[in-house]
Amino acid sequence: MTISAEKRLAAHKRIVFKIGSALLVDRKSGLKSDWLNSIADDVAMLRAAGHEVLIVSSGAIALGRGLLGLKSGALKLEESQAAAAAGQIGLSRAYHDALGGHGIRAAQILLTLGDTEERRRYLNARATIETLLKLGAVPIINENDTVATSEIRYGDNDRLAARVATMMTCDLLILLSDIDGLYTAPPALDPDATFIAEVEAITPEIEAMAGDAGTELSRGGMVTKIEAGKIATAGGTTMVITSGKRLHPVRAIAEGGRATWFKASGSPVTSRKKWIAGQLSTSGRLHLDAGAERALLSGKSLLPAGIRQVSGMFNRGDVVSLVNAAGIEIGRGLVAYDSNQAQAICGLKSAEIEARLGFAGRSEMVHRDDLALRPGEGHGDGPGDNTGGETDKR
Ligand code: GLU
């Protein structure tokens, strides 16, 4: 039995949209407010149905070039950075106004490549976005184009959106595109190309359908979308490509509009935990007392109070091994402190951390989202399995 598109969409709790410049900005008239308002309606519809929504939006450069009177055609790096700086203000304002019309708060996040690729910064970006979602805001995310240089850029927001999706354990990534899905060949080049509704796995055959990376269709085209799909689906996020060239494009998916679905391998939370558990080497060990072991097994985070001893040298964001009083490794996790800081605060209550370190750090040594218990220990890895006393649902 095939499930309806509406039910399928409804099954994904945390959803990220990727919105491209061409959908949002018209070269002559600037921002397409009607279209953006229809996106705000779609966000409001999803939120009313209990979804969490994040938006990765391009458009800063396209908006800014008009505002600064830059000529059409290729821009120099510093010109596109200047355009991004001028355009981003307008872009944020537009989301603020459009979502504000539904009583929804928009919050701007600008990321550089290092924010998702370097583990110590990754924890910061993740904690901030997580907090925004908990507070009911919609994060509006873009690359921080003003300072990124070509070597340290994502370059396209398809990939940025996929990295955000895995970092935030999103269940679904919706790429709003100028094309309504994947075809057996680029339809602009091949009139016999046929539409593909479902992609079970991104095989070399599927990659070949996107066309050649060397064509002018590649940048931000199907090749980067398939790249994004590889990142997203390996991280447990389902991906959908659909046309954004209509109003209410997300509602259109629910109503059965044409879209290609790329199946995720596993759930985002289990993929993340598998990645943590699968690290070959760990940088240090945290020796837990019996109370902390029990807390972990019941799905809670590891607090400094439950740590008897810290061994090894590690940095914030490294994978450490968690060892119980009998010396057995019960799990692994991404640690929120450097080893010298962890030494200084082990055994302390969370409220005492600031006085000892001189700054307000995280109250958890290893957050439960960053924790993978060994198979057979404690609760399962599913999002609903964390029944600890904290407010985090994931
Ligand atoms: N970050 C760029 C912008 O806001 C867009 C990059 C892309 O379109 O992929 O203009």
Side-chain angles (χ1 to χ4, degrees):
M1 193 179 73
T2 53
I3 80 166
S4 73
E6 188 181 2
K7 286 214 179 99
R8 201 166 185 186
L9 194 66
H12 297 89
K13 175 156 174 47
R14 183 173 286 185
I15 302 180
V16 53
F17 305 177
K18 185 265 170 177
I19 293 172
S21 304
L23 297 174
L24 197 55
V25 183
D26 181 84
R27 285 217 163 178
K28 291 203 185 85
S29 53
L31 195 95
K32 298 185 192 169
S33 306
D34 288 350
W35 189 82
L36 184 58
N37 287 334
S38 86
I39 288 290
D41 294 343
D42 284 359
V43 171
M45 168 195 84
L46 289 175
R47 299 227 330 172
H51 297 271
E52 292 171 319
V53 180
L54 302 86
I55 296 178
V56 171
S57 180
S58 309
I61 298 174
L63 261 185
R65 68 189 296 157
L67 295 175
L68 294 178
L70 287 160
K71 61 191 179 321
S72 55
L75 296 178
K76 290 195 216 125
L77 176 63
E78 56 274 24
E79 285 174 331
S80 40
Q81 292 182 311
Q88 187 63 41
I89 294 183
L91 193 61
S92 291
R93 177 88 219 175
Y95 278 103
H96 172 273
D97 291 348
L99 291 171
H102 292 273
I104 299 171
R105 178 68 61 191
Q108 173 188 267
I109 298 271
L110 297 179
L111 295 175
T112 53
L113 192 63
D115 293 321
T116 58
E117 309 307 300
E118 281 170 32
R119 267 182 278 153
R120 48 190 300 137
R121 281 159 65 188
Y122 178 111
L123 291 184
N124 288 338
R126 207 163 72 83
T128 307
I129 299 174
E130 195 70 56
T131 304
L132 285 169
L133 291 171
K134 261 188 219 146
L135 294 173
V138 173
I140 309 295
I141 303 164
N142 196 359
E143 178 158 20
N144 192 354
D145 293 305
T146 55
V147 291
T149 61
S150 50
E151 313 83 73
I152 53 156
R153 295 191 73 208
Y154 301 95
D156 67 84
N157 277 5
D158 292 329
R159 253 173 305 186
L160 168 62
R163 294 297 297 128
V164 166
T166 59
M167 177 169 82
M168 297 313 301
T169 50
C170 292
D171 303 296
L172 181 65
L173 164 62
I174 301 177
L175 293 184
L176 296 176
S177 172
D178 54 0
I179 181 164
D180 53 8
L182 179 69
Y183 287 74
T184 50
L189 303 178
D190 183 349
D192 296 330
T194 55
F195 173 73
I196 298 182
E198 299 285 335
V199 175
E200 285 294 316
I202 301 177
T203 57
E205 198 188 352
I206 294 289
E207 285 183 64
M209 294 175 185
D212 182 355
T215 70
E216 79 281 8
L217 295 170
S218 66
R219 201 182 164 278
M222 198 49 78
V223 174
T224 62
K225 290 185 174 39
I226 298 293
E227 283 301 318
K230 285 204 263 180
I231 298 168
T233 56
T237 303
T238 299
M239 186 174 91
V240 174
I241 299 178
T242 194
S243 172
K245 286 164 69 178
R246 53 189 161 195
L247 298 181
H248 302 107
V250 179
R251 190 200 291 166
I253 302 176
E255 289 169 354
R258 184 171 266 196
T260 301
W261 290 76
F262 294 75
K263 210 170 153 190
S265 52
S267 83
V269 176
T270 47
S271 302
R272 179 175 163 76
K273 295 198 174 217
K274 245 193 246 159
W275 173 79
I276 295 171
Q279 297 296 300
L280 290 180
S281 62
T282 54
S283 313
R285 294 157 78 90
L286 303 178
H287 300 266
L288 318 188
D289 66 19
E293 181 179 6
R294 270 197 307 277
L296 255 54
L297 300 186
S298 70
K300 295 189 180 163
S301 297
L302 175 61
L303 304 179
I307 301 172
R308 293 183 302 125
Q309 202 197 328
V310 174
S311 53
M313 296 276 287
F314 48 84
N315 292 316
R316 171 175 158 71
D318 283 348
V319 177
V320 294
S321 138
L322 309 174
V323 178
N324 69 8
I328 298 165
E329 182 184 74
I330 58 162
R332 292 177 170 196
L334 301 182
V335 65
Y337 287 94
D338 294 345
S339 45
N340 57 344
Q341 297 167 339
Q343 301 257 8
I345 60 172
C346 81
L348 296 191
K349 296 205 178 69
S350 298
E352 297 165 340
I353 296 176
E354 184 167 1
R356 179 66 62 93
L357 294 180
F359 64 88
R362 306 252 176 249
S363 37
E364 306 89 8
M365 182 67 78
V366 177
H367 191 276
R368 61 185 178 169
D369 290 349
D370 299 328
L371 193 69
L373 294 180
R374 285 174 71 92
E377 304 274 1
H379 282 238
D381 285 337
D385 293 333
N386 286 326
T387 51
E390 297 164 65
T391 49
D392 191 348
K393 299 178 292 309
R394 301 181 69 81

PDB file of all heavy atoms in Angstrom, residues 324-356:
ATOM      1  N   ASN A 324      32.460   2.856  33.232  1.00  0.00           N
ATOM      2  CA  ASN A 324      31.752   2.773  34.521  1.00  0.00           C
ATOM      3  C   ASN A 324      32.714   2.417  35.664  1.00  0.00           C
ATOM      4  O   ASN A 324      33.927   2.249  35.435  1.00  0.00           O
ATOM      5  CB  ASN A 324      30.559   1.811  34.424  1.00  0.00           C
ATOM      6  CG  ASN A 324      30.985   0.357  34.272  1.00  0.00           C
ATOM      7  OD1 ASN A 324      32.180   0.028  34.391  1.00  0.00           O
ATOM      8  ND2 ASN A 324      30.025  -0.505  34.008  1.00  0.00           N
ATOM      9  N   ALA A 325      32.167   2.294  36.862  1.00  0.00           N
ATOM     10  CA  ALA A 325      33.007   2.078  38.050  1.00  0.00           C
ATOM     11  C   ALA A 325      33.784   0.764  37.942  1.00  0.00           C
ATOM     12  O   ALA A 325      34.853   0.614  38.547  1.00  0.00           O
ATOM     13  CB  ALA A 325      32.135   2.106  39.293  1.00  0.00           C
ATOM     14  N   ALA A 326      33.260  -0.200  37.149  1.00  0.00           N
ATOM     15  CA  ALA A 326      33.954  -1.486  36.997  1.00  0.00           C
ATOM     16  C   ALA A 326      35.011  -1.429  35.884  1.00  0.00           C
ATOM     17  O   ALA A 326      35.635  -2.435  35.549  1.00  0.00           O
ATOM     18  CB  ALA A 326      32.921  -2.570  36.678  1.00  0.00           C
ATOM     19  N   GLY A 327      35.209  -0.251  35.273  1.00  0.00           N
ATOM     20  CA  GLY A 327      36.232  -0.115  34.224  1.00  0.00           C
ATOM     21  C   GLY A 327      35.749  -0.534  32.848  1.00  0.00           C
ATOM     22  O   GLY A 327      36.543  -0.657  31.914  1.00  0.00           O
ATOM     23  N   ILE A 328      34.432  -0.739  32.689  1.00  0.00           N
ATOM     24  CA  ILE A 328      33.896  -1.177  31.384  1.00  0.00           C
ATOM     25  C   ILE A 328      33.376   0.034  30.594  1.00  0.00           C
ATOM     26  O   ILE A 328      32.698   0.900  31.166  1.00  0.00           O
ATOM     27  CB  ILE A 328      32.741  -2.184  31.597  1.00  0.00           C
ATOM     28  CG1 ILE A 328      33.285  -3.416  32.328  1.00  0.00           C
ATOM     29  CG2 ILE A 328      32.073  -2.584  30.283  1.00  0.00           C
ATOM     30  CD1 ILE A 328      32.212  -4.297  32.896  1.00  0.00           C
ATOM     31  N   GLU A 329      33.732   0.088  29.297  1.00  0.00           N
ATOM     32  CA  GLU A 329      33.225   1.186  28.463  1.00  0.00           C
ATOM     33  C   GLU A 329      31.739   0.965  28.210  1.00  0.00           C
ATOM     34  O   GLU A 329      31.353  -0.040  27.617  1.00  0.00           O
ATOM     35  CB  GLU A 329      33.982   1.235  27.118  1.00  0.00           C
ATOM     36  CG  GLU A 329      33.504   2.387  26.266  1.00  0.00           C
ATOM     37  CD  GLU A 329      34.137   2.462  24.877  1.00  0.00           C
ATOM     38  OE1 GLU A 329      33.774   1.642  24.015  1.00  0.00           O
ATOM     39  OE2 GLU A 329      34.991   3.352  24.657  1.00  0.00           O
ATOM     40  N   ILE A 330      30.920   1.899  28.684  1.00  0.00           N
ATOM     41  CA  ILE A 330      29.468   1.734  28.470  1.00  0.00           C
ATOM     42  C   ILE A 330      28.968   2.568  27.291  1.00  0.00           C
ATOM     43  O   ILE A 330      27.841   2.416  26.847  1.00  0.00           O
ATOM     44  CB  ILE A 330      28.648   2.074  29.731  1.00  0.00           C
ATOM     45  CG1 ILE A 330      28.913   3.505  30.191  1.00  0.00           C
ATOM     46  CG2 ILE A 330      28.922   1.076  30.850  1.00  0.00           C
ATOM     47  CD1 ILE A 330      27.847   4.027  31.141  1.00  0.00           C
ATOM     48  N   GLY A 331      29.812   3.468  26.774  1.00  0.00           N
ATOM     49  CA  GLY A 331      29.394   4.257  25.620  1.00  0.00           C
ATOM     50  C   GLY A 331      30.459   5.266  25.242  1.00  0.00           C
ATOM     51  O   GLY A 331      31.555   5.288  25.824  1.00  0.00           O
ATOM     52  N   ARG A 332      30.110   6.076  24.248  1.00  0.00           N
ATOM     53  CA  ARG A 332      31.000   7.127  23.775  1.00  0.00           C
ATOM     54  C   ARG A 332      30.189   8.394  23.552  1.00  0.00           C
ATOM     55  O   ARG A 332      28.989   8.328  23.335  1.00  0.00           O
ATOM     56  CB  ARG A 332      31.656   6.712  22.451  1.00  0.00           C
ATOM     57  CG  ARG A 332      32.600   5.572  22.646  1.00  0.00           C
ATOM     58  CD  ARG A 332      33.214   5.100  21.364  1.00  0.00           C
ATOM     59  NE  ARG A 332      34.285   4.164  21.710  1.00  0.00           N
ATOM     60  CZ  ARG A 332      35.231   3.775  20.900  1.00  0.00           C
ATOM     61  NH1 ARG A 332      35.261   4.223  19.659  1.00  0.00           N
ATOM     62  NH2 ARG A 332      36.160   2.940  21.299  1.00  0.00           N
ATOM     63  N   GLY A 333      30.892   9.525  23.579  1.00  0.00           N
ATOM     64  CA  GLY A 333      30.136  10.756  23.348  1.00  0.00           C
ATOM     65  C   GLY A 333      31.033  11.904  22.957  1.00  0.00           C
ATOM     66  O   GLY A 333      32.259  11.840  23.110  1.00  0.00           O
ATOM     67  N   LEU A 334      30.416  12.949  22.413  1.00  0.00           N
ATOM     68  CA  LEU A 334      31.151  14.181  22.080  1.00  0.00           C
ATOM     69  C   LEU A 334      31.201  15.025  23.354  1.00  0.00           C
ATOM     70  O   LEU A 334      30.164  15.389  23.899  1.00  0.00           O
ATOM     71  CB  LEU A 334      30.426  14.978  20.998  1.00  0.00           C
ATOM     72  CG  LEU A 334      30.171  14.303  19.663  1.00  0.00           C
ATOM     73  CD1 LEU A 334      29.490  15.272  18.704  1.00  0.00           C
ATOM     74  CD2 LEU A 334      31.478  13.810  19.058  1.00  0.00           C
ATOM     75  N   VAL A 335      32.411  15.343  23.783  1.00  0.00           N
ATOM     76  CA  VAL A 335      32.563  16.010  25.070  1.00  0.00           C
ATOM     77  C   VAL A 335      32.459  17.527  24.896  1.00  0.00           C
ATOM     78  O   VAL A 335      32.927  18.077  23.899  1.00  0.00           O
ATOM     79  CB  VAL A 335      33.897  15.568  25.728  1.00  0.00           C
ATOM     80  CG1 VAL A 335      35.116  16.025  24.939  1.00  0.00           C
ATOM     81  CG2 VAL A 335      33.984  16.034  27.170  1.00  0.00           C
ATOM     82  N   ALA A 336      31.835  18.202  25.864  1.00  0.00           N
ATOM     83  CA  ALA A 336      31.568  19.643  25.735  1.00  0.00           C
ATOM     84  C   ALA A 336      32.690  20.509  26.303  1.00  0.00           C
ATOM     85  O   ALA A 336      32.601  21.736  26.237  1.00  0.00           O
ATOM     86  CB  ALA A 336      30.242  19.975  26.410  1.00  0.00           C
ATOM     87  N   TYR A 337      33.710  19.894  26.887  1.00  0.00           N
ATOM     88  CA  TYR A 337      34.825  20.663  27.465  1.00  0.00           C
ATOM     89  C   TYR A 337      36.173  20.096  27.030  1.00  0.00           C
ATOM     90  O   TYR A 337      36.281  18.904  26.744  1.00  0.00           O
ATOM     91  CB  TYR A 337      34.751  20.620  29.003  1.00  0.00           C
ATOM     92  CG  TYR A 337      33.643  21.456  29.571  1.00  0.00           C
ATOM     93  CD1 TYR A 337      32.399  20.888  29.852  1.00  0.00           C
ATOM     94  CD2 TYR A 337      33.811  22.811  29.813  1.00  0.00           C
ATOM     95  CE1 TYR A 337      31.350  21.656  30.360  1.00  0.00           C
ATOM     96  CE2 TYR A 337      32.783  23.601  30.321  1.00  0.00           C
ATOM     97  CZ  TYR A 337      31.554  23.014  30.598  1.00  0.00           C
ATOM     98  OH  TYR A 337      30.540  23.787  31.094  1.00  0.00           O
ATOM     99  N   ASP A 338      37.209  20.949  27.045  1.00  0.00           N
ATOM    100  CA  ASP A 338      38.585  20.472  26.858  1.00  0.00           C
ATOM    101  C   ASP A 338      38.986  19.663  28.096  1.00  0.00           C
ATOM    102  O   ASP A 338      38.416  19.847  29.176  1.00  0.00           O
ATOM    103  CB  ASP A 338      39.549  21.664  26.744  1.00  0.00           C
ATOM    104  CG  ASP A 338      39.287  22.480  25.481  1.00  0.00           C
ATOM    105  OD1 ASP A 338      38.589  21.988  24.591  1.00  0.00           O
ATOM    106  OD2 ASP A 338      39.791  23.623  25.417  1.00  0.00           O
ATOM    107  N   SER A 339      40.031  18.822  27.952  1.00  0.00           N
ATOM    108  CA  SER A 339      40.365  17.929  29.073  1.00  0.00           C
ATOM    109  C   SER A 339      40.771  18.688  30.339  1.00  0.00           C
ATOM    110  O   SER A 339      40.396  18.294  31.443  1.00  0.00           O
ATOM    111  CB  SER A 339      41.450  16.927  28.671  1.00  0.00           C
ATOM    112  OG  SER A 339      42.492  17.543  27.973  1.00  0.00           O
ATOM    113  N   ASN A 340      41.511  19.793  30.197  1.00  0.00           N
ATOM    114  CA  ASN A 340      41.906  20.501  31.425  1.00  0.00           C
ATOM    115  C   ASN A 340      40.697  21.094  32.150  1.00  0.00           C
ATOM    116  O   ASN A 340      40.616  21.085  33.375  1.00  0.00           O
ATOM    117  CB  ASN A 340      42.993  21.559  31.141  1.00  0.00           C
ATOM    118  CG  ASN A 340      42.553  22.570  30.108  1.00  0.00           C
ATOM    119  OD1 ASN A 340      41.580  22.343  29.385  1.00  0.00           O
ATOM    120  ND2 ASN A 340      43.243  23.697  30.041  1.00  0.00           N
ATOM    121  N   GLN A 341      39.730  21.554  31.356  1.00  0.00           N
ATOM    122  CA  GLN A 341      38.510  22.090  31.981  1.00  0.00           C
ATOM    123  C   GLN A 341      37.699  20.955  32.610  1.00  0.00           C
ATOM    124  O   GLN A 341      37.169  21.093  33.714  1.00  0.00           O
ATOM    125  CB  GLN A 341      37.646  22.795  30.928  1.00  0.00           C
ATOM    126  CG  GLN A 341      38.333  24.003  30.312  1.00  0.00           C
ATOM    127  CD  GLN A 341      37.604  24.498  29.062  1.00  0.00           C
ATOM    128  OE1 GLN A 341      36.838  23.758  28.444  1.00  0.00           O
ATOM    129  NE2 GLN A 341      37.862  25.743  28.697  1.00  0.00           N
ATOM    130  N   ALA A 342      37.638  19.828  31.884  1.00  0.00           N
ATOM    131  CA  ALA A 342      36.876  18.681  32.406  1.00  0.00           C
ATOM    132  C   ALA A 342      37.466  18.226  33.740  1.00  0.00           C
ATOM    133  O   ALA A 342      36.733  17.925  34.690  1.00  0.00           O
ATOM    134  CB  ALA A 342      36.894  17.543  31.391  1.00  0.00           C
ATOM    135  N   GLN A 343      38.806  18.216  33.820  1.00  0.00           N
ATOM    136  CA  GLN A 343      39.480  17.856  35.085  1.00  0.00           C
ATOM    137  C   GLN A 343      39.043  18.804  36.189  1.00  0.00           C
ATOM    138  O   GLN A 343      38.754  18.393  37.301  1.00  0.00           O
ATOM    139  CB  GLN A 343      41.005  18.069  34.941  1.00  0.00           C
ATOM    140  CG  GLN A 343      41.655  17.284  33.855  1.00  0.00           C
ATOM    141  CD  GLN A 343      42.405  16.100  34.406  1.00  0.00           C
ATOM    142  OE1 GLN A 343      42.288  15.826  35.579  1.00  0.00           O
ATOM    143  NE2 GLN A 343      43.130  15.399  33.570  1.00  0.00           N
ATOM    144  N   ALA A 344      39.007  20.106  35.831  1.00  0.00           N
ATOM    145  CA  ALA A 344      38.723  21.122  36.848  1.00  0.00           C
ATOM    146  C   ALA A 344      37.296  21.021  37.386  1.00  0.00           C
ATOM    147  O   ALA A 344      37.048  21.343  38.540  1.00  0.00           O
ATOM    148  CB  ALA A 344      38.971  22.513  36.266  1.00  0.00           C
ATOM    149  N   ILE A 345      36.363  20.576  36.556  1.00  0.00           N
ATOM    150  CA  ILE A 345      34.961  20.608  37.018  1.00  0.00           C
ATOM    151  C   ILE A 345      34.407  19.229  37.348  1.00  0.00           C
ATOM    152  O   ILE A 345      33.246  19.109  37.718  1.00  0.00           O
ATOM    153  CB  ILE A 345      34.038  21.310  35.990  1.00  0.00           C
ATOM    154  CG1 ILE A 345      34.041  20.596  34.633  1.00  0.00           C
ATOM    155  CG2 ILE A 345      34.447  22.780  35.818  1.00  0.00           C
ATOM    156  CD1 ILE A 345      33.003  21.139  33.658  1.00  0.00           C
ATOM    157  N   CYS A 346      35.208  18.161  37.210  1.00  0.00           N
ATOM    158  CA  CYS A 346      34.626  16.842  37.463  1.00  0.00           C
ATOM    159  C   CYS A 346      34.233  16.748  38.937  1.00  0.00           C
ATOM    160  O   CYS A 346      34.917  17.257  39.815  1.00  0.00           O
ATOM    161  CB  CYS A 346      35.495  15.694  36.963  1.00  0.00           C
ATOM    162  SG  CYS A 346      36.831  15.175  37.976  1.00  0.00           S
ATOM    163  N   GLY A 347      33.082  16.182  39.182  1.00  0.00           N
ATOM    164  CA  GLY A 347      32.553  16.071  40.542  1.00  0.00           C
ATOM    165  C   GLY A 347      31.744  17.285  40.977  1.00  0.00           C
ATOM    166  O   GLY A 347      31.055  17.246  41.992  1.00  0.00           O
ATOM    167  N   LEU A 348      31.803  18.378  40.199  1.00  0.00           N
ATOM    168  CA  LEU A 348      31.077  19.586  40.616  1.00  0.00           C
ATOM    169  C   LEU A 348      29.621  19.565  40.147  1.00  0.00           C
ATOM    170  O   LEU A 348      29.303  18.975  39.127  1.00  0.00           O
ATOM    171  CB  LEU A 348      31.725  20.847  40.019  1.00  0.00           C
ATOM    172  CG  LEU A 348      33.141  21.211  40.429  1.00  0.00           C
ATOM    173  CD1 LEU A 348      33.475  22.624  39.934  1.00  0.00           C
ATOM    174  CD2 LEU A 348      33.316  21.149  41.941  1.00  0.00           C
ATOM    175  N   LYS A 349      28.792  20.255  40.908  1.00  0.00           N
ATOM    176  CA  LYS A 349      27.402  20.442  40.455  1.00  0.00           C
ATOM    177  C   LYS A 349      27.416  21.461  39.307  1.00  0.00           C
ATOM    178  O   LYS A 349      28.275  22.348  39.272  1.00  0.00           O
ATOM    179  CB  LYS A 349      26.553  21.014  41.586  1.00  0.00           C
ATOM    180  CG  LYS A 349      26.428  20.080  42.775  1.00  0.00           C
ATOM    181  CD  LYS A 349      25.131  20.428  43.531  1.00  0.00           C
ATOM    182  CE  LYS A 349      24.925  19.507  44.710  1.00  0.00           C
ATOM    183  NZ  LYS A 349      25.931  19.745  45.772  1.00  0.00           N
ATOM    184  N   SER A 350      26.429  21.368  38.400  1.00  0.00           N
ATOM    185  CA  SER A 350      26.407  22.260  37.228  1.00  0.00           C
ATOM    186  C   SER A 350      26.448  23.728  37.644  1.00  0.00           C
ATOM    187  O   SER A 350      27.076  24.555  36.991  1.00  0.00           O
ATOM    188  CB  SER A 350      25.188  21.973  36.363  1.00  0.00           C
ATOM    189  OG  SER A 350      25.282  20.638  35.886  1.00  0.00           O
ATOM    190  N   ALA A 351      25.791  24.062  38.772  1.00  0.00           N
ATOM    191  CA  ALA A 351      25.739  25.465  39.213  1.00  0.00           C
ATOM    192  C   ALA A 351      27.110  25.976  39.659  1.00  0.00           C
ATOM    193  O   ALA A 351      27.321  27.180  39.786  1.00  0.00           O
ATOM    194  CB  ALA A 351      24.737  25.601  40.350  1.00  0.00           C
ATOM    195  N   GLU A 352      28.045  25.047  39.920  1.00  0.00           N
ATOM    196  CA  GLU A 352      29.368  25.471  40.411  1.00  0.00           C
ATOM    197  C   GLU A 352      30.377  25.666  39.272  1.00  0.00           C
ATOM    198  O   GLU A 352      31.502  26.092  39.502  1.00  0.00           O
ATOM    199  CB  GLU A 352      29.923  24.410  41.389  1.00  0.00           C
ATOM    200  CG  GLU A 352      29.068  24.255  42.631  1.00  0.00           C
ATOM    201  CD  GLU A 352      29.392  22.974  43.427  1.00  0.00           C
ATOM    202  OE1 GLU A 352      29.995  22.022  42.864  1.00  0.00           O
ATOM    203  OE2 GLU A 352      29.023  22.931  44.612  1.00  0.00           O
ATOM    204  N   ILE A 353      29.989  25.330  38.048  1.00  0.00           N
ATOM    205  CA  ILE A 353      30.939  25.350  36.922  1.00  0.00           C
ATOM    206  C   ILE A 353      31.473  26.759  36.676  1.00  0.00           C
ATOM    207  O   ILE A 353      32.681  26.970  36.548  1.00  0.00           O
ATOM    208  CB  ILE A 353      30.265  24.823  35.616  1.00  0.00           C
ATOM    209  CG1 ILE A 353      29.875  23.361  35.785  1.00  0.00           C
ATOM    210  CG2 ILE A 353      31.197  24.984  34.422  1.00  0.00           C
ATOM    211  CD1 ILE A 353      29.121  22.779  34.587  1.00  0.00           C
ATOM    212  N   GLU A 354      30.594  27.727  36.673  1.00  0.00           N
ATOM    213  CA  GLU A 354      31.005  29.083  36.311  1.00  0.00           C
ATOM    214  C   GLU A 354      32.058  29.623  37.284  1.00  0.00           C
ATOM    215  O   GLU A 354      33.067  30.203  36.870  1.00  0.00           O
ATOM    216  CB  GLU A 354      29.786  30.015  36.251  1.00  0.00           C
ATOM    217  CG  GLU A 354      30.167  31.401  35.788  1.00  0.00           C
ATOM    218  CD  GLU A 354      28.982  32.277  35.402  1.00  0.00           C
ATOM    219  OE1 GLU A 354      27.829  31.821  35.516  1.00  0.00           O
ATOM    220  OE2 GLU A 354      29.237  33.424  34.977  1.00  0.00           O
ATOM    221  N   ALA A 355      31.833  29.389  38.577  1.00  0.00           N
ATOM    222  CA  ALA A 355      32.783  29.901  39.582  1.00  0.00           C
ATOM    223  C   ALA A 355      34.156  29.252  39.390  1.00  0.00           C
ATOM    224  O   ALA A 355      35.199  29.903  39.514  1.00  0.00           O
ATOM    225  CB  ALA A 355      32.248  29.624  40.973  1.00  0.00           C
ATOM    226  N   ARG A 356      34.191  27.963  39.014  1.00  0.00           N
ATOM    227  CA  ARG A 356      35.467  27.279  38.880  1.00  0.00           C
ATOM    228  C   ARG A 356      36.198  27.685  37.601  1.00  0.00           C
ATOM    229  O   ARG A 356      37.394  27.907  37.589  1.00  0.00           O
ATOM    230  CB  ARG A 356      35.222  25.752  38.902  1.00  0.00           C
ATOM    231  CG  ARG A 356      36.471  24.911  38.744  1.00  0.00           C
ATOM    232  CD  ARG A 356      37.432  25.059  39.940  1.00  0.00           C
ATOM    233  NE  ARG A 356      36.849  24.609  41.192  1.00  0.00           N
ATOM    234  CZ  ARG A 356      36.976  23.380  41.678  1.00  0.00           C
ATOM    235  NH1 ARG A 356      37.681  22.491  41.031  1.00  0.00           N
ATOM    236  NH2 ARG A 356      36.403  23.056  42.815  1.00  0.00           N
TER     237      ARG A 356
END
